[in-house]
Amino acid sequence: DVKVTQSSRYLVKRTGEKVFLECVQDMDHENMFWYRQDPGLGLRLIYFSYDVKMKEKGDIPEGYSVSREKKERFSLILESASTNQTSMYLCASSLSLFDMNTEAFFGQGTRLTVV
Amino acid sequence: GQQLNQSPQSMFIQEGEDVSMNCTSSSIFNTWLWYKQDPGEGPVLLIALYKAGELTSNGRLTAQFGITRKDSFLNISASIPSDVGIYFCAGQLGNTDKLIFGTGTRLQVFP
């Protein structure tokens, strides 16, 4: 069974803390994505990785960085958390979307609150 | 950044009614995906579209990939209470594997 696992369902962090959100997939997918979800704004792409050590900025990369040292793991890092980064964070993975019959699979989400 | 305009933003309908929602963009997409998200969960794929003009059904759901490759719609027929949730369109942009999502349509179904 396909599985994307995010390390925490809920996190509360203080302003200025360095925060790590971890995502692991067991499907040997090339692509991994980090999105944040806010009411009325849908899912906005933060960063995307298409291979180990390879990354591309999404629409809202400011204040975030990512790390992909191994194919199965994609980490989102908030260097200095701020209250406007309070949100639901969703990780996804996929094979190449140029292959027919592929799709992106999502983790269950991490709800981060920065106080 | 690239945007997918999804409408309507929310819908309140009675059980048994049909539902239609759509996504449009100024950019060309190679793949369109429609997802549903239940409360507290990640989105789950409903329908995938890979060719311009393609019309695909999955039970009571039907989706089409627009001829211009800049739009897609999703129809749900004879809605039931478990259809409640947030529906997202998503598109694979140009010649990359980058997957962009719409703003979502929140569906409420009343008995």
Side-chain angles (χ1 to χ4, degrees):
Chain A
D1 225 13
V2 156
K3 204 152 187 191
V4 178
T5 304
Q6 293 182 229
S7 52
S8 306
R9 288 296 296 260
Y10 300 95
L11 272 181
V12 180
K13 296 290 182 182
R14 293 191 183 279
T15 301
E17 272 193 75
K18 190 168 185 175
V19 181
F20 294 85
L21 301 183
E22 306 287 348
C23 177
V24 177
Q25 50 99 359
D26 64 0
M27 297 161 284
D28 201 34
H29 283 169
E30 293 93 351
N31 299 325
M32 295 189 76
F33 308 82
W34 274 107
Y35 295 88
R36 65 176 280 177
Q37 182 178 11
D38 301 288
L41 298 177
L43 276 66
R44 292 181 292 165
L45 183 63
I46 304 172
Y47 267 98
F48 155 60
S49 169
Y50 51 92
D51 203 348
V52 174
K53 296 191 189 295
M54 307 305 288
K55 62 186 179 186
E56 257 188 53
K57 291 181 180 178
D59 294 329
I60 50 164
E62 298 78 18
Y64 303 95
S65 61
V66 289
S67 171
R68 188 139 181 230
E69 297 295 319
K70 294 184 178 180
K71 192 175 186 181
E72 67 270 20
R73 185 181 295 270
F74 192 33
S75 304
L76 180 70
I77 303 153
L78 286 65
E79 296 291 341
S80 177
S82 64
T83 54
N84 63 13
Q85 292 178 309
T86 292
S87 187
M88 168 72 87
Y89 289 87
L90 287 160
C91 173
S93 74
S94 76
L95 292 170
S96 171
L97 292 168
F98 288 96
D99 296 334
M100 297 270 290
N101 303 314
T102 192
E103 62 175 277
F105 295 89
F106 279 85
Q108 77 276 31
T110 297
R111 184 164 293 282
L112 172 68
T113 302
V114 182
V115 297
Chain B
Q2 298 90 1
Q3 275 208 313
L4 284 179
N5 302 307
Q6 187 172 347
S7 65
Q9 191 172 19
S10 60
M11 302 183 77
F12 298 84
I13 62 167
Q14 201 151 20
E15 185 176 358
E17 285 185 21
D18 297 343
V19 171
S20 185
M21 59 192 79
N22 68 81
C23 276
T24 61
S25 176
S26 56
S27 301
I28 289 175
F29 289 88
N30 293 322
T31 300
W32 283 93
L33 305 173
W34 282 93
Y35 282 82
K36 183 191 177 203
Q37 185 180 31
D38 291 323
E41 302 295 329
V44 174
L45 184 73
L46 297 173
I47 289 183
L49 302 159
Y50 299 102
K51 293 181 184 174
E54 181 181 352
L55 182 72
T56 296
S57 293
N58 178 9
R60 294 179 295 108
L61 278 58
T62 302
Q64 184 158 32
F65 191 148
I67 290 289
T68 64
R69 295 165 64 194
K70 294 182 179 181
D71 63 323
S72 177
F73 72 75
L74 174 71
N75 288 341
I76 305 173
S77 62
S79 57
I80 58 178
S82 61
D83 289 336
V84 165
I86 304 177
Y87 292 79
F88 292 101
C89 62
Q92 177 206 358
L93 192 63
N95 60 356
T96 76
D97 269 344
K98 197 179 281 192
L99 193 60
I100 305 296
F101 278 76
T103 49
T105 296
R106 185 179 292 272
L107 179 64
Q108 289 279 11
V109 180
F110 296 100

